[in-house]
Amino acid sequence: MTSLMPRSNFLRTSHFGKAHEVFGVDIDEALAYSTSKMVWIRDRWVGALYYSLVLAVLVYIVGVQVLCRNEHFEMKDVQGLTRLWYSHPTLNNCDPLKEGCVTDFTSFK
């Protein structure tokens, strides 16, 4: 048969009747966290204001910052050299500058 204990005793003791303490610190107090209370506001004007502000922020971020100003890119100076090298097709993709490399052109016919 189980008896209902008052809430204050339930928070301070475990299922075995021992206190929830480690090194003199109450574990419930040490690991406690706070949450925010959720409220549902049922007013069309407050809702319209909220959603219009959310939409304005999204339009500003996507439309202005990303699409118009390209501010989502990190700007850096470009350094280095460019190099482009092309050659004719070769058999087994060998180096055309080496001796014994055979070309591998295909006919258009």
Side-chain angles (χ1 to χ4, degrees), residues 1-21:
M1 176 182 238
T2 60
S3 64
L4 297 174
M5 294 189 290
R7 184 158 177 83
S8 62
N9 287 340
F10 180 73
L11 291 176
R12 295 181 196 272
T13 59
S14 69
H15 298 291
F16 302 111
K18 296 182 181 177
H20 289 287
E21 289 186 0

Side-chain angles (χ1 to χ4, degrees), residues 24-74:
V25 177
D26 187 11
I27 295 174
D28 290 329
E29 293 293 324
L31 299 178
Y33 63 95
S34 62
T35 61
S36 60
K37 185 174 182 178
M38 299 297 288
V39 178
W40 186 26
I41 299 175
R42 295 177 61 186
D43 184 19
R44 70 182 73 131
W45 300 111
V46 175
L49 177 66
Y50 171 77
Y51 287 114
S52 62
L53 289 175
V54 168
L55 182 65
V57 168
L58 287 175
V59 167
Y60 175 73
I61 291 173
V62 174
V64 176
Q65 296 289 330
V66 174
L67 296 177
C68 292
R69 295 185 187 165
N70 288 332
E71 290 187 2
H72 61 291
F73 292 121
E74 186 176 354

Side-chain angles (χ1 to χ4, degrees), residues 70-83:
N70 288 332
E71 290 187 2
H72 61 291
F73 292 121
E74 186 176 354
M75 304 297 266
K76 289 187 175 181
D77 291 332
V78 178
Q79 297 177 359
L81 302 171
T82 58
R83 178 179 166 204

